[in-house]
Amino acid sequence: MKIVVLEKQVPDSTEITVDKKTGALIRDGVPAITNPDDLAGLEAALELKDKNPDTEVVVMTMGLPKAMGADKGVLLTDRVLGGSDTCATSIALAAALKKVGFDLVIAGRQAIDGDTAQVGPQTAERLDIPQVTYVDEILEVKEDSITVKRSLEDVEQIVTAKLPCVITT
């Protein structure tokens, strides 16, 4: 199985300020960290690899590469990607995912610098594959499906999806 984890570098929210005129985050001089929800996705992928050592974990990012524990890293870099919104980001990620191949894509639920929770679902839509959002736990992975537990505000669900698919953690 090949798992691709989507990872975003975000400004350290403990050191970020906001431009009072534009409302935009001021990123200059602020250190980048790995988005916490994406780290949860990487941890989930590494746990699956522990259960099945034949699993390959690839981290894909459009920012600075930090693929701790992964077998490989893929860096998407081009000046035109700078400042991409979720639409442009999902287009770029979907194109790269098609090129590298995958069985499962794990993305963080949302990024702390935008909180839109759109990149994972938009990427799944562009790939025309199933998606399961708000995943708390991967319960089982079979050759052609994955079963997960997801939590919504007032209910937990057990969901099985066909592979390949995108899940957000």
Side-chain angles (χ1 to χ4, degrees), residues 5 22-23 36 39-40 43 52 60 63 70 82 104 108 119-120 125 136 143 145 149 152 154 157 159-160 163:
V5 179
T22 65
L39 286 175
E43 181 62 31
N52 182 356
M60 182 177 288
L104 175 64
V119 171
E125 286 297 311
D136 287 330
E143 188 174 312
S145 67
K149 180 175 80 171
L152 304 175
D154 57 352
Q157 298 175 329
V159 178
T160 299
L163 292 175

Side-chain angles (χ1 to χ4, degrees), residues 5-154:
V5 179
L6 303 182
E7 185 178 288
K8 183 178 185 185
Q9 296 297 303
V10 295
D12 186 343
S13 61
T14 63
E15 298 189 31
I16 199 81
T17 57
V18 177
D19 184 307
K20 292 179 182 177
K21 290 182 182 176
T22 65
L25 298 178
I26 300 172
R27 297 172 186 257
D28 293 339
V30 177
I33 61 170
T34 300
N35 184 60
D37 283 356
D38 297 343
L39 286 175
L42 180 57
E43 181 62 31
L46 295 174
E47 287 175 11
L48 290 174
K49 183 178 175 80
D50 285 345
K51 293 176 185 172
N52 182 356
D54 292 335
T55 298
E56 180 182 25
V57 176
V58 177
V59 169
M60 182 177 288
T61 183
M62 287 173 49
L64 303 172
K66 289 185 180 179
M68 66 178 195
D71 299 302
K72 294 180 181 175
V74 175
L75 174 62
L76 305 181
T77 182
D78 191 307
R79 281 206 182 288
V80 300
L81 297 175
S84 294
D85 63 9
T86 61
C87 180
T89 297
S90 66
I91 289 169
L93 291 171
L97 285 162
K98 287 177 185 176
K99 187 168 184 169
V100 302
F102 60 91
D103 298 298
L104 175 64
V105 176
I106 303 177
R109 176 189 53 174
Q110 63 194 53
I112 61 174
D113 64 342
D115 283 340
T116 64
Q118 295 175 349
V119 171
Q122 285 178 351
T123 302
E125 286 297 311
R126 294 187 190 294
L127 294 168
D128 195 27
I129 59 174
Q131 60 181 292
V132 184
T133 57
Y134 299 101
V135 171
D136 287 330
E137 184 179 350
I138 298 171
L139 301 174
E140 181 178 45
V141 178
K142 294 182 179 176
E143 188 174 312
D144 63 346
S145 67
I146 185 169
T147 302
V148 299
K149 180 175 80 171
R150 71 189 295 244
S151 294
L152 304 175
E153 288 183 18
D154 57 352

